[in-house]
């Protein structure tokens, strides 16, 4: 089997497809994957002709703008994501962290490059959170702005109504998306059919817009702009937002349903609607105030606002759910402290709710709406984080193609070099909007990057300090066997980050209680840079002296850690751990910042605060509440 084929075959994805069928998965993919990019017609064309872009509203420019949008969709979404990037799957999973793990694993023989790619991918992942705030804000407010078209008297109510819709959206997150998920697909199908039908109606009235299908018009438009082309591209990129979702949600639906949905419904619907808006503007330049809603007959306006708001809610739900998934991956990969995670579906492990993330996103989204007040103002903040993420994805894909798939360097460069140039061109167009709001998602990403790197480095220092100050486990066990303390029945499980040193909880237990359990399990939990770890690779069990066992439990970054369930598998290795006769002794470290060679002191204090507020090990690893003993220790870093 070739390297590429090996990377593309995933038992989880195959089993998922077998259970649900291609048609059902395609319908579901429409509802989740394409909500974001599907709501882009609400505001994109209007922003391209905004005064700050310098693009005059005439027939020549309208054809050129629509041509640029159509061919941007073809090059960036179809060729780059649908055809190329979707092949770079990490055992069926996609997204920034999954791709980063794949690229990092491919360059393991180059530690310095590995570290650079890890930090690059981590920064790209943090930018997703900026998108998770801007997308709900711009999508919902762009949809609600339709009431201005119904009657200008409703203009003062756009912001309050948008906030109400968003409050309701975040309030229902705790119940999970499985109860309403079945409606997402049909609503988005209706949305794209409506987009395409409206487009056809206006194209029939002004067929000259069909010239936009010729890429020569796109090229001429870009050349004619001169330096001002960047301002225009900063608006055109709004049509591409949501492209990353194709890759991020691949693990939920598989590659084929996402590709099928794009080629059969999404791309045709978007292309027809953008051409339809162009045709409308060629006939009625006054429609520029809101070309999307002006496409509807007046009698349809109320229904149009309702449908647009539903589509915006679905688009928002997709990035909110994505933020939950990204956070869980970051926790399991060691970039964020443990958080309280609620599983909202007994059937689908990917459906989760993280209260802390939900509250943070709600505050961020509402503040964005109140601060920017319109979709046009929010458009200035939109794009810079998305295009930078696109460029990072392309760069990481190069290392996957070249190092993991073992394809020739020339082919790897050819496959990614062109797209990287396009990504950087789009980023440059958005970068000029930095002080118009583009700083907002960028600042959020940088702040989160600081938190993530501080947590990861702090954990390294903590484990290293415990290792240096700890006792060697092997010699300690020899001492216990030579001078055994009082023995009591039952099993004691001691989770420890470093299996070579004596767990602090064990030292405290023996020191204060003067007893040794009949069976002691030194447990280490490792999280690999793969989405899933198979059951046959889950456990490593090794006897270690008369009363001791060393157990290693492995999880992937999409697995749901359940230590009691994992330990029940130890019986196959000759180690029986009775669920009702087992006590888990946990060591809770209190981090004390001290001047030294670790991090600068303010980062050490930040890490100490994050460590203090991390959710408990008990809930995270699903340990039984009535079988846990926590013993505290102070650690200086």
């Amino acid at each position: 089997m070739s390297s590429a084929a090996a990377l593309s075959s995933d038992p989880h994805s195959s089993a998922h497809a077998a259970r649900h069928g291609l048609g059902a998965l395609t319908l579901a993919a429409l509802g989740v994957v394409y909500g974001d990019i599907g709501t882009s017609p609400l505001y994109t064309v209007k922003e391209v002709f905004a005064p700050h872009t310098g693009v005059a509203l005439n027939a020549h420019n309208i054809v050129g703008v629509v041509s640029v949008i159509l061919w941007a969709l073809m090059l960036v979404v179809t060729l780059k994501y649908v055809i190329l990037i979707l092949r770079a799957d990490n055992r069926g999973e996609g997204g920034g962290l999954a791709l980063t793990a794949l690229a990092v694993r491919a360059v393991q023989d180059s530690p310095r490059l590995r570290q650079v790619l890890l930090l690059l991918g981590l920064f790209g992942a943090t930018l997703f959170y900026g998108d998770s705030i801007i997308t709900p804000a711009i999508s919902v407010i762009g949809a609600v702005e339709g009431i201005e078209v119904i009657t200008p008297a409703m203009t003062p109510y756009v912001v309050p109504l948008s906030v109400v819709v968003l409050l309701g959206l975040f309030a229902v997150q705790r119940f999970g998306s499985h109860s309403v998920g079945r409606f997402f697909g049909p609503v988005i199908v209706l949305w794209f059919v409506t987009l395409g039908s409206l487009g056809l109606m206006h194209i029939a009235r002004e067929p000259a817009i069909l010239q936009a299908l010729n890429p020569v018009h796109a090229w001429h438009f870009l050349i004619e702009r001169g330096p001002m082309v960047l301002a225009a591209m900063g608006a055109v990129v709004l049509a591409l937002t949501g492209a990353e979702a194709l890759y991020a949600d691949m693990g939920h639906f598989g590659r084929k349903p996402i590709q099928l949905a794009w080629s059969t419904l999404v791309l045709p619907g978007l292309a027809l609607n953008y051409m339809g808006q162009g045709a409308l503007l060629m006939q009625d330049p006054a429609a520029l105030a809101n070309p999307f809603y002006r496409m509807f007959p007046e009698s349809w306006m109320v229904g149009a606002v309702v449908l647009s708001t539903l589509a915006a809610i679905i688009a928002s739900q997709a990035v909110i759910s994505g933020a939950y998934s990204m956070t869980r991956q970051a926790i399991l990969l060691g970039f964020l402290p443990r958080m309280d995670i609620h599983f909202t579906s007994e059937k689908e492990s990917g459906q989760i709710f993280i209260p802390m993330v939900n509250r943070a996103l709600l505050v961020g989204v509402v503040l964005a709406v109140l601060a920017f007040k319109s979709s046009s103002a929010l458009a200035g903040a939109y794009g810079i984080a998305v295009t930078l993420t696109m460029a990072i994805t392309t760069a990481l894909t190069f290392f996957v193609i070249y190092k993991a798939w073992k394809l020739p360097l020339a082919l790897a460069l050819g496959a990614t070099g062109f797209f990287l140039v396009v990504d950087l061109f789009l980023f440059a167009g958005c970068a000029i909007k930095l002080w118009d709001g583009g700083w907002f998602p960028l600042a959020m990403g940088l702040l989160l990057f600081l938190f993530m790197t501080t947590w990861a480095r702090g954990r390294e220092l903590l484990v290293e300090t415990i290792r240096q100050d700890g006792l060697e486990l092997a010699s300690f066990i020899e001492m216990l066997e030579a001078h055994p303390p009082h023995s009591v029945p039952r099993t004691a499980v001691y989770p420890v980050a470093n299996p070579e040193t004596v767990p602090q909880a064990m030292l405290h237990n023996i020191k204060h209680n003067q007893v040794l359990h009949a069976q002691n399990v030194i447990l280490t939990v490792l999280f690999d840079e793969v989405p899933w770890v198979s059951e046959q690779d889950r456990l490593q069990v090794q006897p270690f002296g008369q009363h001791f066992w060393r157990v290693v439990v492995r999880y992937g970054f999409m697995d749901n850690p359940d230590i009691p369930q994992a330990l029940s598998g130890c019986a196959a290795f000759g180690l029986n751990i009775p669920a009702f006769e087992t006590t888990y002794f946990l060591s809770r470290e209190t981090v004390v910042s001290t001047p030294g060679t670790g991090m600068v002191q303010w980062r050490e204090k930040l890490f100490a605060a994050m460590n203090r507020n991390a959710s408990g090990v008990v809930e995270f690893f699903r340990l039984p509440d009535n079988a846990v003993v926590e013993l505290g220790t102070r650690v200086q870093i």
Side-chain angles (χ1 to χ4, degrees):
M1 181 183 291
S2 68
S3 300
L7 287 165
S8 299
S9 59
D10 173 49
H12 297 273
S13 180
S14 301
H16 194 77
R19 286 200 309 270
H20 298 278
L22 183 60
L25 284 173
T26 302
L27 182 64
L30 277 166
V32 176
V33 176
Y34 292 111
D36 190 355
I37 199 169
T39 53
S40 294
L42 283 167
Y43 40 77
T44 299
V45 173
K46 177 177 67 173
E47 293 308 313
V48 177
F49 289 101
H52 70 273
T53 64
V55 180
L57 184 62
N58 55 54
H60 176 71
N61 285 340
I62 291 171
V63 172
V65 165
V66 174
S67 185
V68 169
I69 292 174
L70 295 182
W71 284 98
L73 289 172
M74 285 298 298
L75 292 175
V76 176
V77 184
T78 305
L79 293 182
K80 177 184 168 183
Y81 281 95
V82 175
I83 294 178
L84 175 63
I85 302 292
L86 286 184
R87 296 182 179 276
D89 64 286
N90 193 337
R91 300 191 184 181
E93 285 296 324
L97 288 178
L99 180 64
T100 300
L102 197 62
V104 164
R105 206 162 60 244
V107 296
Q108 283 183 348
D109 55 337
S110 304
R112 183 171 296 180
L113 179 59
R114 184 183 189 277
Q115 186 67 19
V116 169
L117 293 183
L118 184 63
L119 292 175
L120 184 65
L122 184 62
F123 180 57
T126 62
L127 293 174
F128 179 82
Y129 289 93
D131 189 26
S132 299
I133 286 179
I134 301 297
T135 293
I138 194 172
S139 298
V140 170
I141 203 169
V144 175
E145 281 172 346
I147 63 175
E148 297 176 325
V149 179
I150 298 175
T151 169
M154 295 292 288
T155 299
Y157 299 99
V158 169
V159 171
L161 281 175
S162 299
V163 171
V164 169
V165 170
L166 289 166
L167 287 173
L169 174 63
F170 281 94
V172 301
Q173 292 301 311
R174 67 183 67 251
F175 303 110
S177 59
H178 62 280
S179 58
V180 294
R182 67 175 69 96
F183 300 111
F184 283 10
V187 170
I188 292 296
V189 168
L190 176 60
W191 172 252
F192 282 114
V193 168
T194 302
L195 291 183
S197 301
L198 286 170
L200 280 172
M201 184 171 67
H202 287 280
I203 291 169
R205 296 174 184 172
E206 189 64 52
I209 193 63
L210 291 173
Q211 298 174 78
L213 293 171
N214 186 345
V216 171
H217 292 284
W219 177 255
H220 285 162
F221 174 82
L222 296 176
I223 295 299
E224 290 166 2
R225 300 275 73 72
M228 286 298 292
V229 69
L230 294 180
M233 292 309 296
V236 168
V237 78
L238 296 172
L240 307 175
T241 55
E244 279 284 326
L246 278 71
Y247 183 48
D249 289 313
M250 181 169 56
H252 295 289
F253 308 105
R255 187 200 315 162
K256 286 186 177 179
I258 293 175
Q259 292 174 329
L260 184 61
W262 173 257
S263 59
T264 58
L265 187 61
V266 180
L267 179 58
L270 290 173
L272 289 171
N273 192 263
Y274 283 122
M275 285 193 289
Q277 290 191 47
L280 172 65
L281 291 175
M282 292 172 76
Q283 287 188 311
D284 180 15
L288 184 61
N290 200 319
F292 176 78
Y293 279 112
R294 296 291 184 187
M295 296 178 75
F296 289 89
E298 196 169 326
S299 59
W300 291 17
M301 281 306 304
V302 175
V305 172
V306 172
L307 179 60
S308 299
T309 303
L310 287 175
I313 289 173
I314 293 171
S316 304
Q317 178 65 60
V319 294
I320 293 169
S321 300
Y324 297 153
S325 297
M326 183 80 76
T327 301
R328 183 174 71 160
Q329 292 180 23
I331 292 170
L332 296 183
L333 287 171
F335 295 120
L336 283 175
R338 293 180 302 273
M339 298 182 195
D340 186 20
I341 300 177
H342 298 172
F343 293 87
T344 59
S345 173
E346 295 180 357
K347 296 180 180 179
E348 298 294 338
S349 63
Q351 293 188 3
I352 59 175
F353 169 67
I354 304 180
M356 184 179 293
V357 175
N358 195 63
R359 289 192 293 269
L361 288 179
L362 172 59
V363 171
V365 170
V366 171
L367 286 177
V369 169
L370 295 176
F372 290 96
K373 295 185 173 60
S374 71
S375 61
S376 293
L378 277 164
Y382 212 17
I384 191 167
V386 175
T387 51
L388 194 52
T389 304
M390 288 178 174
I392 291 172
T393 297
T394 304
L396 293 173
T397 303
F398 164 77
F399 290 97
V400 173
I401 295 174
Y402 181 48
K403 292 288 188 178
W405 296 353
K406 307 296 184 185
L407 294 178
L409 177 61
L411 183 59
L413 286 173
T416 57
F418 171 74
F419 295 121
L420 185 59
V421 170
V422 173
D423 292 336
L424 293 176
F425 179 49
L426 293 172
F427 172 69
C430 295
I432 64 173
K433 300 188 294 183
L434 183 64
W435 303 116
D436 294 328
W439 59 269
F440 181 70
L442 204 56
M444 286 198 56
L446 288 169
L447 182 64
L448 193 56
F449 182 75
L450 171 65
F451 276 99
M452 286 186 170
T453 52
T454 298
W455 177 258
R457 178 59 180 151
R459 288 297 302 172
E460 287 179 4
L461 292 172
L462 182 63
V463 171
E464 180 62 21
T465 302
I466 292 174
R467 187 191 67 79
Q468 289 177 353
D469 297 342
L471 301 174
E472 186 185 3
L473 181 62
S475 58
F476 184 75
I477 291 175
E478 289 177 4
M479 183 190 72
L480 288 179
E481 291 179 345
H483 306 282
H486 179 69
S487 180
V488 296
R490 296 174 61 93
T491 298
V493 177
Y494 295 95
V496 61
N498 184 359
E500 303 298 328
T501 57
V502 181
Q504 293 292 315
M506 177 184 286
L507 286 175
H508 287 298
N509 188 34
I510 294 177
K511 177 181 178 181
H512 297 291
N513 298 326
Q514 299 290 310
V515 296
L516 181 69
H517 286 71
Q519 194 167 248
N520 299 273
V521 177
I522 310 301
L523 172 67
T524 303
V525 182
L526 300 178
F527 291 96
D528 293 341
E529 294 170 344
V530 295
W532 316 91
V533 171
S534 62
E535 288 303 320
Q536 58 264 33
D537 297 327
R538 178 83 64 209
L539 288 169
Q540 292 178 357
V541 181
Q542 175 190 3
F544 205 69
Q546 187 176 354
H547 299 283
F548 290 84
W549 294 75
R550 181 180 284 164
V551 176
V552 177
V553 181
R554 294 183 177 273
Y555 290 106
F557 57 77
M558 291 298 291
D559 281 318
N560 301 320
D562 188 330
I563 293 302
Q565 182 186 54
L567 293 182
S568 66
C570 291
F573 297 87
L575 172 61
N576 186 32
I577 304 178
F580 298 104
E581 298 177 16
T582 299
T583 303
Y584 296 87
F585 289 89
L586 308 180
S587 176
R588 178 174 284 272
E589 299 92 359
T590 299
V591 177
V592 180
S593 171
T594 57
T597 58
M599 296 183 287
V600 292
Q601 198 152 11
W602 67 266
R603 288 189 73 191
E604 289 185 352
K605 290 181 178 179
L606 173 61
F607 171 71
M610 294 171 73
N611 190 65
R612 216 167 30 244
N613 290 286
S615 71
V617 174
V618 177
E619 297 82 6
F620 189 76
F621 288 115
R622 302 191 183 185
L623 304 181
D625 290 324
N626 58 357
V628 172
V629 175
E630 290 196 69
L631 300 168
T633 182
R634 291 170 66 86
V635 180
Q636 294 183 343
I637 63 170

